[in-house]
Every structure is written in C-alpha cells, then in structure tokens.
Amino acid sequence: MSDPVRVRFAPSPTGYLHVGGARTALFNWLFARHCGGTFVLRIEDTDKARNTDAAMQAIFDGMKWLGLDWDEGPHKGGGRGPYFQSQREEIYLRYFEKLRDGGFLYEDGGSWRFRFARKRIVMDDLVCGHVEVDMADAATHPDMTIRRPDGGWIFHFVNVVDDIEMGITHVIRGDDHLSNTPKHLQLFEALAVTPPRYGHIPLILNSDGSKMSKRDTGSAVGWYEENGFLSAAVRNFLCLLGWNPKNDQELLDIKEVVQLFDVANINRKAAVFDLAKCEWMNQQYILRMTPDELAVAAEPVLVKAGIPFGTRAALAPVLALVRERIKRLSEIPAWVDYFFADAVVFDPEAVEKVFRKPGAMDRLRALTTGFAAIAEWTSPAIEAELKSCATIGGVKVGEFVHVARVAATGRTVGASLYHTLEVLGKARTLARFERALAMHS
C-alpha cells in the first residue's frame, strides 16, 4: 500500500495572492481531496526585507475565499511544523551540517555551495513526462549556493528540507520550476531521501501570449472579491485553466471536480487567461442562485453602495427582474438603485432623447390618466393599457414605452418595463410620472 498523499502550497508573503499561485494551490488541494490525502500550507517567509503582514493576510484571505481549506499550517497547526520557514532555523542547521559532514558542501567567499554530481538527471514528471537534464558541464550548471555569507538560506535548500520534514509525497507547481527540479533531486540524493513525485503545470498566459503579470487586470485573487465575482465561479474558472475533465462540461460543482480530478489530465501547453470567460461563468453562477441566495449575496453590495433596499422581501422581486443582465454582483447597484430611490435622477441624455421629442409629455399625460384607472396593477394590465394609449395616440408602442421608462426610472435602459412598473407599484409609478411632468413639461 502506498503512503498517504501529502501535498503543499508554499507561497512567499511578498505580494498579493496571484491567480497563478491560487491555481497551483487549487490543483494541490484537488489532488489531496481526490486521494483522501493531506493539504499543507507552508509560508516561505525567509525574505525579511520583502515580507509584509498585508501580503500574509492576503494569502490567508484569498485561500479562504476560494474555499481552499488546509489541513496543516498556520492557524491549523499539525505535527510537521513550524509552518513558517522563519521559525525553522534549527532544522535547516541540522540538515546543513549533515550535508557538510557528508562532503557535499564547500565554502566560497563566505557563502556555502552544494557540489553537484556531474551526471545526467532523469525525471519522470507527472505532467511533462520523461525529462532528462545533463548536468555534466559546470559552466552551464554551476554548483548551487545554499547559504549566503550573511547566513541566509537559499530557496532550493530550505524547500527540499521542508518537503522532507513535512513528508511531502507529491509536488505540483508551475513549470517555471522545472529547471530547478534536477537541483532538488540531487539534494534529496545527497540526503539519502526518496524524493516526492513532481508535476509541473503550465503557466497562465494572456490572450496575446504574454506571461500574466501583476499589472494585468484580474491577476490578484482579491480583485475578484472586490469586483463582485462569486468565489465558486472563480474557483470553477481556475479549475479549467490547464486541466480538462475530459467531457464538455464547463460549469462544475467543486465536489464533482474533486471526483474527476486527475493529474494526468493537466494540459502540457500554457493556459490562456480570458477574463470575459470568467465573467460569463460568473453570470451563469448568478443565474443558478435561488432568489434567497442572490438576495443574501446582494445585500452587502447594496449596503456598501448606500442603497436603502429595505427588507429582503422587498429586494427579491427587484433582483428577479435584473438578474439575467448581471455579470458581477458589483453591477447590481446600478441596475436597481432607482427602485429604492425617493426621487428618480434623470439621465440628461435620456431627457434630451426622449422627453424633448415632440408630443412626449402629451403621451406621458395620457399614460398617467390611463394607468390611474387600472384596478388590478399587474404587468399584463399595464401592458394592455399602454398599448391602448399607443393605438389611440396613433403612434408606435415604443414611443409610449420610452417615455414611461424614463419617467419611472430616469434612464433609457433597464429590465422589462411592464414588470418594472408592477414591482414599483401603482402609487410610486404615478408619483414619478407626475414629477416628470412637473419637471419637464
């Protein structure tokens, strides 16, 4: 029986959580959950000059937002800690001495270097397949520094030591680390430890083929939460950046992804980031939400925007009208603000385009009279009366629709007019019509 799977995500707290890092964390998390293994969060915080508490918190917040709970690590503990490299100095010294005593290290200008064996390194990568690297030439593969003159440790050394100490069985990381793996394998060999299985996943590229940088929109996980994305939708999107479930499904529940996830189905070629696709996916998730779920998600967004929506019961029918038009939760305030305003704010362009048209105010007066006579305020009754007014007035229905929409909402674009007026209610609709007439006649 093979050893239980243990994987890790090991970010450095020197900046926000990048979507590339989040995708790496996600793939490790999926692999652990699929295999019934352990997912370890390890913080590589040895770069004291660049580490920040804000970056550390961004890692924790981003992973929690995406639902990537770790089994061992900060805030969780575990039997293989500490889980901050800055707290593991004694461990590194012990392994350093072991390598030095074994004749694998030599001093060079105050730093310590690891002496590579000059041979061909063969790797069986879980994603890249068979890889061979000839390290015979010291000019192209010079001996590796593992400790600086100031006593600071180099990434390669502490990374390997931590993987040994934490019992990591599989390392899934970006293929920009593929060139580091032969170095790491030599360290494992020198320490007489069986290395983990490595799988190097493709990088994430922009649509123009350039590497996604920190300056690109959507590169930070926190950006998605701030801009109205659902965490489940972003997680679904990241699952498909470099992994294929081998079917035509794009909208996948995370439980289903856990069942389907197979490292063998990770693509070898680079994944192309498409923010428009992520927005589409987010919209599909919004459409799948129950009315109550959407109201719960919308409430904090509306509170932040200062929109007094009242009760959830009052909010639900409004959201039902506009939900098909929303790609992000952050768009909700702009679509619903006029439902909850005491007085409509008229868009100047809408006024010029609609109210300044000859006969517009006469049509609005006719609608006001006709709507006042409606006994049962329903969208079919509203529609029938508006069309009757258009027939009597001898103009197209659209002429009455446009003037009614601007009078009721202040704008030319919105949800279905008849349903909008039904939700607004008869009294509020007529009051808005009267105000429009008073202001623009």
Side-chain angles (χ1 to χ4, degrees), residues 315-327:
L315 180 59
V318 174
L319 293 174
L321 282 178
V322 302
R323 67 186 299 159
E324 292 188 0
R325 299 169 180 264
I326 298 168
K327 293 182 179 179

Side-chain angles (χ1 to χ4, degrees), residues 211-407:
K211 183 178 178 181
M212 195 174 190
S213 75
K214 293 182 178 181
R215 295 183 298 275
D216 294 319
T217 300
S219 62
V221 170
W223 181 87
Y224 293 88
E225 184 176 9
E226 294 168 2
N227 286 274
F229 285 78
L230 299 169
S231 59
V234 176
R235 187 175 57 205
N236 189 158
F237 174 71
L238 292 177
C239 284
L240 299 177
L241 275 182
W243 173 77
N244 192 321
K246 297 302 180 184
N247 58 38
D248 295 329
Q249 284 182 272
E250 290 187 299
L251 303 178
L252 294 162
D253 180 82
I254 193 62
K255 292 181 180 178
E256 189 175 3
V257 179
V258 167
Q259 291 178 341
L260 294 172
F261 190 79
D262 187 342
V263 175
N265 291 337
I266 295 177
N267 300 328
R268 181 65 192 95
K269 64 179 182 179
V272 177
F273 180 86
D274 184 352
L275 185 57
K277 181 63 175 289
C278 188
E279 280 192 317
W280 171 85
M281 192 166 284
N282 198 63
Q283 184 178 35
Q284 302 310 304
Y285 270 76
I286 289 174
L287 291 173
R288 288 181 167 199
M289 298 175 84
T290 66
D292 193 57
E293 287 172 339
L294 181 56
V296 169
E299 284 177 358
V301 179
L302 294 171
V303 168
K304 184 178 180 181
I307 296 175
F309 58 86
T311 65
R312 190 174 298 171
L315 180 59
V318 174
L319 293 174
L321 282 178
V322 302
R323 67 186 299 159
E324 292 188 0
R325 299 169 180 264
I326 298 168
K327 293 182 179 179
R328 308 182 191 178
L329 296 177
S330 56
E331 296 171 349
I332 291 176
W335 280 104
V336 307
D337 56 354
Y338 57 82
F339 282 98
F340 306 106
D342 292 332
V344 170
V345 177
F346 294 101
D347 175 28
E349 290 186 11
V351 170
E352 190 65 32
K353 181 180 179 180
V354 177
F355 283 176
R356 299 286 180 248
K357 206 168 185 180
M361 292 299 101
D362 292 334
R363 289 190 282 277
L364 187 55
R365 288 189 189 91
L367 277 178
T368 304
T369 301
F371 282 179
I374 295 176
E376 188 176 352
W377 190 256
T378 63
S379 56
I382 295 168
E383 181 179 6
E385 180 58 36
L386 185 145
K387 288 182 176 178
S388 174
C389 289
T391 300
I392 294 170
V395 297
K396 294 180 179 179
V397 171
E399 297 296 325
F400 278 83
V401 168
H402 298 323
V403 76
R405 184 183 295 282
V406 175

Side-chain angles (χ1 to χ4, degrees), residues 17 54 105 197 236 279 284 300 418:
L17 181 58
L105 304 182
R197 292 291 309 278
N236 189 158
E279 280 192 317
Q284 302 310 304
Y418 308 123

